[in-house]
Amino acid sequence: AIIEGQRWRFGDDLFRNTPTTTRVKLVDIGMGTEKLVVSMVNPLADSGKVLLDQFAVNISDRISPYWQEWKTDVIRIERFGADNAIMATGRFEFLISAPGVENLVMYRMRGDDMDMVVGAVGNVTKAAEEGYWRAGG
């Protein structure tokens, strides 16, 4: 989804057109955001090949037998300010659906190197809405 900053509330509930898919609800896109691009891919589709094609991310070498199967889509969020400048910092908050998940861990990847996992997103909490988690801040 490509969302114009001033009209983001008209497209604040995002999902792929498939049953039981991950839903993303935008809460706060941050001051100065002129444009927002949100992409979502099922990481299990075609054994991860769709994720590799769409996001150039290979997860097959990051799978551990100690981890549970993916519970949500992989989500790419790109924010742009004035003159299409990349906004890598600043406030951004969203809800993500993960029904039945008791402990959701999200990871952030560095924008200039999609193979570089920066680390776990620290501010992920259960949202008031059933089945949703709040991320960002």
Side-chain angles (χ1 to χ4, degrees), residues 20-31:
T20 67
T21 188
T22 300
R23 296 181 82 94
V24 171
K25 295 183 178 186
L26 302 175
V27 175
D28 185 348
I29 65 169
M31 290 187 62

Side-chain angles (χ1 to χ4, degrees), residues 14-43:
L14 309 169
F15 53 92
R16 290 182 302 109
N17 192 19
T18 60
T20 67
T21 188
T22 300
R23 296 181 82 94
V24 171
K25 295 183 178 186
L26 302 175
V27 175
D28 185 348
I29 65 169
M31 290 187 62
T33 301
E34 299 278 330
K35 192 182 323 173
L36 185 69
V37 179
V38 180
S39 308
M40 298 187 289
V41 172
N42 178 347

Side-chain angles (χ1 to χ4, degrees), residues 38-55:
V38 180
S39 308
M40 298 187 289
V41 172
N42 178 347
L44 304 175
D46 200 12
S47 301
K49 292 177 185 165
V50 175
L51 182 61
L52 182 60
D53 289 344
Q54 297 292 317
F55 287 179

Side-chain angles (χ1 to χ4, degrees), residues 13-137:
D13 190 5
L14 309 169
F15 53 92
R16 290 182 302 109
N17 192 19
T18 60
T20 67
T21 188
T22 300
R23 296 181 82 94
V24 171
K25 295 183 178 186
L26 302 175
V27 175
D28 185 348
I29 65 169
M31 290 187 62
T33 301
E34 299 278 330
K35 192 182 323 173
L36 185 69
V37 179
V38 180
S39 308
M40 298 187 289
V41 172
N42 178 347
L44 304 175
D46 200 12
S47 301
K49 292 177 185 165
V50 175
L51 182 61
L52 182 60
D53 289 344
Q54 297 292 317
F55 287 179
V57 174
N58 183 359
I59 60 164
S60 62
D61 61 344
R62 299 182 188 170
I63 303 300
S64 166
Y66 303 104
W67 295 350
Q68 293 180 353
E69 188 174 272
W70 287 84
K71 300 298 182 186
T72 69
D73 286 353
V74 172
I75 303 163
R76 179 189 311 185
I77 300 171
E78 301 168 276
R79 294 187 309 148
F80 302 93
D83 299 323
N84 290 324
I86 296 171
M87 295 181 63
T89 60
R91 183 168 178 75
F92 184 82
E93 191 173 347
F94 63 96
L95 302 179
I96 180 171
S97 66
V101 174
E102 291 300 318
N103 185 23
L104 182 67
V105 178
M106 296 179 67
Y107 290 92
R108 179 174 179 253
M109 301 180 87
R110 203 169 71 196
D112 60 342
D113 183 356
M114 291 305 289
D115 280 335
M116 177 61 164
V117 176
V118 175
V121 175
N123 194 13
V124 178
T125 58
K126 277 195 174 183
E129 191 171 341
E130 182 68 29
Y132 280 84
W133 291 78
R134 182 177 298 273

